[in-house]
Amino acid sequence: MTLTIRPVTEAVGAEISGVDLAQLNEAEFAQIEQAWNRHSALLFRDQQLTDDDLLAFSRRFGELDPPPVQEHGRQSPEGYPDIYVVSNVLDDKGAPIGALGAGEAVWHTDMSYLATPPDASMLYSLEVPPTGGDTWVLGMQAAWATLPDALKAKVRGRRIKHDGTYNSGGYLRKGVTPTDDPHQAPGAWHPAVIAHPSTGAPSLYLGRRRNSYVEGLSPTESDALLDALWAHIERPDLRYQHRWRVGDLLLWDNRSTMHRRDPFDSATRRVMHRTQIKGSGAPRAWAEAA
Ligand code: SIN
């Protein structure tokens, strides 16, 4: 097989074909890693992965990170605690087998409410609905590069609070007290512009909008700046829309992308297995060359 790499948008993402992720050799992985640093998100179609294959491929990128605590706690396939299930499907007792239901999952970066969030996450599709449930990936390096200078000046050197109260589906995380006060909410402060640890490239680092706060500003000033930044990332040229097929694996870098998911009909089934790669360090502020 010949491995080919095709960018899916200019801002973010590439599709890699001609490779079986269950039987990857070192040379192929080296090309994948290079594409990963360049495009921030990678798509592999037509894979046939067992949970062991998914874990083995994930471990190529580093140590695995425990799944997040979602609305029903942690949900993993039997015997696979490092995999977490994203699904609207109910088991035979009527309990959800996974997280996030069938609703929209809003733009977010995975687990950036922690001091050291996971470097990367991947989603492997086992069952997909006939329509809806698309996953969107946003290129945050391109978001920074295209940000107007006046906004860059306002955000440079600042830190932003990343909320840990609610997940991207709007559900309260299990065991957390509900709040809409960013100062009371659990979470972490991170630089608003971070450098990629491998390439040094700057990314706007927003996390999620709800309960977000810009350090050192009044609530009104903070909301105005955040609204302007979130309006900027609405630009269609910054994003890739992924329409799922069974056997797709989508991998994204949490330091240089955000993602969201479209809602879908809850009478249809969507089952994804997800892994995440442990953070190699806390997000580091980007220092502009003098
Ligand atoms: C996630 O945010 O990890 C889930 C995205 C999806 O269900 O497409």
Side-chain angles (χ1 to χ4, degrees):
M1 280 203 237
T2 312
L3 184 152
T4 57
I5 301 168
R6 180 185 65 86
V8 291
T9 72
E10 270 187 36
V12 68
E15 179 175 350
I16 300 194
S17 45
V19 69
D20 176 357
L21 296 182
Q23 310 203 29
L24 205 56
N25 63 39
E26 290 305 316
E28 288 169 333
F29 183 68
Q31 289 181 72
I32 289 174
E33 207 172 22
Q34 210 174 24
W36 160 246
N37 280 326
R38 172 134 190 236
H39 298 286
S40 294
L42 298 178
L43 165 67
F44 303 86
R45 296 252 195 210
D46 302 319
Q47 301 295 314
Q48 292 191 330
L49 304 180
T50 63
D51 284 334
D52 287 313
D53 295 332
L54 177 61
L55 288 176
F57 177 62
S58 305
R59 287 197 180 103
R60 297 257 192 174
F61 292 85
E63 198 184 331
L64 300 190
D65 202 36
V69 177
Q70 294 285 25
E71 66 272 22
H72 313 294
R74 289 201 165 100
Q75 283 165 298
S76 300
E78 187 75 34
Y80 290 89
D82 286 329
I83 293 179
Y84 108 74
V85 182
V86 176
S87 183
N88 64 317
V89 172
L90 305 180
D91 67 15
D92 49 14
K93 296 192 185 69
I97 65 163
L100 291 179
E104 179 185 0
V106 298
W107 287 115
H108 66 287
T109 305
D110 287 327
M111 296 173 77
S112 60
Y113 52 86
L114 299 179
T116 304
D119 283 351
S121 310
M122 59 184 91
L123 211 50
Y124 177 62
S125 56
L126 296 163
E127 293 186 59
V128 300
T131 56
D134 293 2
T135 302
W136 298 68
V137 182
L138 207 151
M140 298 306 281
Q141 293 178 346
W144 173 253
T146 54
L147 197 66
D149 285 346
L151 273 178
K152 280 186 172 166
K154 282 189 183 165
V155 80
R156 216 180 251 123
R158 300 252 179 216
R159 294 195 311 163
I160 293 179
K161 172 88 179 268
H162 292 227
D163 177 58
T165 315
Y166 301 98
N167 71 12
S168 56
Y171 300 102
L172 186 70
R173 291 184 193 280
K174 196 166 183 177
V176 173
T177 309
T179 179
D180 283 314
D181 177 354
H183 296 290
Q184 301 299 323
W189 292 93
H190 293 298
V193 191
I194 60 169
H196 194 280
S198 306
T199 64
S203 281
L204 190 59
Y205 193 58
L206 298 180
R208 58 195 73 214
R209 180 64 183 90
R210 190 166 182 185
N211 279 351
S212 183
Y213 200 90
V214 185
E215 192 175 40
L217 299 185
S218 70
T220 310
E221 291 167 332
S222 169
D223 274 340
L225 180 50
L226 289 169
D227 286 348
L229 295 171
W230 282 84
H232 173 71
I233 62 156
E234 286 298 325
R235 282 172 57 134
D237 60 332
L238 298 178
R239 55 189 58 186
Y240 164 63
Q241 176 178 10
H242 183 58
R243 174 95 278 276
W244 289 94
R245 300 197 310 231
V246 169
D248 288 352
L249 184 137
L250 184 65
L251 158 68
W252 59 81
D253 189 327
N254 286 311
R255 300 152 304 182
S256 49
T257 65
M258 292 204 295
H259 57 281
R260 68 170 285 281
R261 181 191 78 192
D262 287 337
F264 57 97
D265 181 352
S266 59
T268 62
R269 292 169 63 99
R270 187 178 189 267
V271 182
M272 305 275 167
H273 282 188
R274 204 186 98 150
T275 58
Q276 48 191 47
I277 316 304
K278 203 181 261 313
S280 43
R284 188 166 50 86
W286 177 63
E288 201 163 0

